[in-house]
Amino acid sequence: MRIAVYPGSFDPITNGHLDIIERASRLYDKLVVGVLSNVSKQPLFTAEERVEMISQVTGHLDNVEVDSFTGLLVDFAKSKKATVIVKGLRTVADFEYEFQMALLNKALNPEYETMFMMTNTKYSYISSSMVRELAGFHGDLTGLVPCGIIEAIKSKYK
């Protein structure tokens, strides 16, 4: 069975993230979306809330599992019996950072491969931080995030 992990903070999940999840889920028998719980960041949503939102918007994908993790990505991937790490790329700057991370993960465990997926161009400008900022100013999130989570995002800024 080919198992891949797609890690990220997903604070919140965007349509760009969902596009990568849907496309990667067609390439692997199982795709585990790993929600990073980073203690050094102040997320808008708890890890549990992010797992719930992602589970909600990926419910139509039978081979997608959503779980949270702390610590090293390679340890999480090993716990899920994954051999591939999926990373979405929007820009050249994303590639530079993700390339370094891929090399580090390869050094930590040579059995892992990293697959880079280019985002759909219609989502290339969307980031979670941009969504949070726009939501903070009560801007329209339509088309940026899955419709089913817009109210959850807005509720954080009431």
Side-chain angles (χ1 to χ4, degrees):
M1 179 179 267
R2 295 170 306 146
I3 302 172
V5 169
Y6 176 40
S9 57
F10 306 106
D11 188 38
I13 186 171
T14 68
N15 283 339
H17 294 133
L18 185 56
D19 176 62
I20 297 291
I21 292 168
E22 289 173 340
R23 289 168 42 216
S25 73
R26 292 192 299 262
L27 300 174
Y28 299 98
D29 299 312
K30 182 177 182 181
L31 178 67
V32 180
V33 179
V35 177
L36 177 61
S37 183
N38 188 338
V39 294
S40 67
K41 289 188 175 182
Q42 296 292 325
L44 179 62
F45 293 96
T46 67
E48 295 78 19
E49 289 171 324
R50 288 178 276 153
V51 166
E52 175 58 34
M53 284 191 294
I54 298 167
S55 297
Q56 176 188 336
V57 301
T58 60
H60 63 290
L61 302 169
D62 294 335
N63 65 332
V64 172
E65 171 188 323
V66 186
D67 200 357
S68 63
F69 73 100
T70 57
L72 294 176
L73 172 57
V74 292
D75 293 339
F76 178 70
K78 183 177 181 180
S79 76
K80 296 297 182 178
K81 298 181 175 33
T83 56
V84 175
I85 297 166
V86 174
K87 299 299 270 188
L89 301 175
R90 293 172 299 150
T91 65
V92 172
D94 285 350
F95 176 75
E96 289 179 14
Y97 174 78
E98 296 298 350
F99 182 68
Q100 287 180 320
M101 292 304 297
L103 292 175
L104 177 60
N105 288 330
K106 191 77 164 166
L108 292 172
N109 190 330
E111 294 178 21
Y112 291 118
E113 295 296 336
T114 299
M115 186 185 81
F116 297 108
M117 294 185 76
M118 296 305 301
T119 188
N120 184 313
T121 54
K122 67 183 176 182
Y123 303 126
S124 63
Y125 66 95
I126 303 172
S127 69
S128 293
S129 57
M130 183 197 75
V131 167
R132 289 191 308 271
E133 185 171 349
L134 185 61
F137 289 107
H138 308 289
D140 184 9
L141 302 179
T142 305
L144 304 178
V145 298
C147 294
I149 67 164
I150 289 176
E151 287 308 313
I153 298 169
K154 287 181 177 181
S155 72
K156 291 288 185 173
Y157 292 97
K158 287 186 179 175

